């Protein structure tokens, strides 16, 4: 074990992905030694004070070795899959075995067993696993990412989905990363901080998909408009991808959750945690 790992009290999972990489870089910029848990070490970011461990979520032994001696873990939820909750349970068991004291988990706004957005049910199940684990926990329930919404616009310039005229308080990945880094550093400084807390990470405003299309067009010049599909149209337009039914249900339920207002609540938690007002979609587009 290298010097960085021997001094590391915090671990970050998913650092080859968008969010984990952002958090790891923020911690490195603050001089925090850390361990990066990844499936593909060759893709891990090269950061000062960081040591890379190869450990897939489902590999209990590898995770336990990687977390040995670590106090606090940022647990970035696994890639969407039919067995994601099982992966999360195995990771949690390994963290307990390793002696981890506090887990900060990236959940989802409105996580509940009966959530309209089907993937939010996975997050609710994982939250319950963590509550029963005996470790201290903090849940970061982020809304949909502002960064992703423009990608919903097809090559024909149409954003299609059964969202009606519903609005979503989408949040920038950068704001979620800053919030996560703030929580981690707070917990390292004061172990009693943030335990048993769930934070709702949203943008500063709720926007409709009409707003998304209009803003993308205004900022980028790219043709964009929103078409409110029916449920029948939504399933038909996504059938061409040949995805399994659970995944198509997840895609479609993203929009139906917006339609029913499940994702429109605006929270002030990003600003409370970071001291900065959340970014808007225009901010995100102008920063890329």
């Amino acid at each position: 074990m290298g010097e960085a790992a021997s001094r590391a009290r915090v671990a970050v999972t998913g650092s080859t992905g968008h969010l984990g990489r952002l958090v790891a870089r923020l911690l490195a910029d603050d001089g925090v030694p850390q361990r990066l848990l990844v499936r593909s070490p060759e893709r891990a970011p090269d950061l000062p004070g960081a040591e890379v461990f190869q450990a897939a979520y489902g590999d209990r032994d590898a995770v336990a070795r990687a977390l040995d001696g670590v106090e606090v873990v940022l647990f970035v939820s696994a890639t969407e899959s039919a067995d994601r909750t099982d992966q999360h349970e195995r990771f949690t068991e390994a963290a307990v075995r390793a002696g981890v004291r506090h887990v900060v988990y990236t959940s989802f706004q409105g996580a509940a067993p009966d959530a309209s957005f089907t993937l939010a049910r996975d997050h609710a199940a994982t939250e319950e696993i963590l509550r029963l684990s005996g470790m201290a926990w903090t849940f970061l329930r982020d809304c949909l990412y502002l960064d992703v919404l423009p990608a919903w616009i097809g090559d024909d310039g149409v954003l299609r989905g059964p969202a009606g005229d519903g609005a979503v308080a989408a949040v920038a990945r950068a704001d979620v990363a800053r919030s996560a880094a703030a929580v981690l550093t707070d917990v390292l400084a004061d172990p009693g901080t943030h335990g048993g807390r769930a934070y709702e990470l949203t943008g500063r405003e709720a926007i409709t998909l009409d707003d998304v299309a209009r803003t993308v067009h205004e900022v980028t010049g790219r043709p964009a408009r929103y078409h409110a599909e029916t449920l029948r149209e939504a399933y038909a337009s996504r059938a061409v991808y040949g995805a399994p039914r659970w995944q198509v249900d997840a895609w479609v339920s993203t929009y139906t959750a917006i339609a029913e207002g499940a994702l429109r609540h605006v929270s002030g938690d990003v600003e409370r945690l970071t001291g900065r007002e959340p970014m808007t979609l225009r901010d995100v587009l102008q920063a890329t």
Side-chain angles (χ1 to χ4, degrees), residues 146 149-150 153 159 164-169 205-219 224-226 264 281-282 285:
L146 283 170
L149 297 184
I153 301 171
L159 196 171
D165 59 359
V168 55
E205 60 187 356
I207 56 176
T208 67
L209 297 191
D210 266 327
D211 295 330
V212 171
R214 181 171 57 255
T215 302
V216 168
H217 175 65
E218 289 174 357
V219 175
R225 65 179 179 86
Y226 167 55
R264 72 175 302 129
L281 178 58
R282 187 174 298 272
L285 290 168

Side-chain angles (χ1 to χ4, degrees), residues 9 25 62 66 77 79 83 93 103 119 139-140 169 176 182 185 187 192 201 205 216 235 241 250 262:
R9 298 165 54 208
R25 187 167 299 281
S77 56
T79 303
D83 69 339
E93 291 169 353
V103 175
L119 296 182
F139 302 144
L140 304 180
V176 175
T185 53
V187 172
L201 305 184
E205 60 187 356
V216 168
Y235 277 97
Y241 298 107

Side-chain angles (χ1 to χ4, degrees), residues 154-262:
D155 292 339
D156 60 356
V158 182
L159 196 171
R160 294 179 173 82
D165 59 359
V168 55
V171 63
R173 278 197 188 104
D175 285 323
V176 175
R178 283 189 281 267
S179 299
V183 169
L184 292 169
T185 53
D186 285 350
V187 172
L188 288 173
D190 179 359
T193 307
H194 303 297
R197 298 290 301 275
Y199 296 105
E200 197 171 75
L201 305 184
T202 74
R204 73 176 76 163
E205 60 187 356
I207 56 176
T208 67
L209 297 191
D210 266 327
D211 295 330
V212 171
R214 181 171 57 255
T215 302
V216 168
H217 175 65
E218 289 174 357
V219 175
T220 71
R222 173 183 170 192
R225 65 179 179 86
Y226 167 55
H227 169 65
E229 290 179 309
T230 64
L231 275 178
R232 183 187 296 273
E233 289 174 331
Y235 277 97
S237 64
R238 287 152 182 82
V240 297
Y241 298 107
R245 177 66 186 224
W246 70 264
Q247 190 165 41
V248 178
D249 286 342
W251 291 340
V252 173
S253 68
T254 308
Y255 295 92
T256 56
I258 295 173
E260 72 172 34

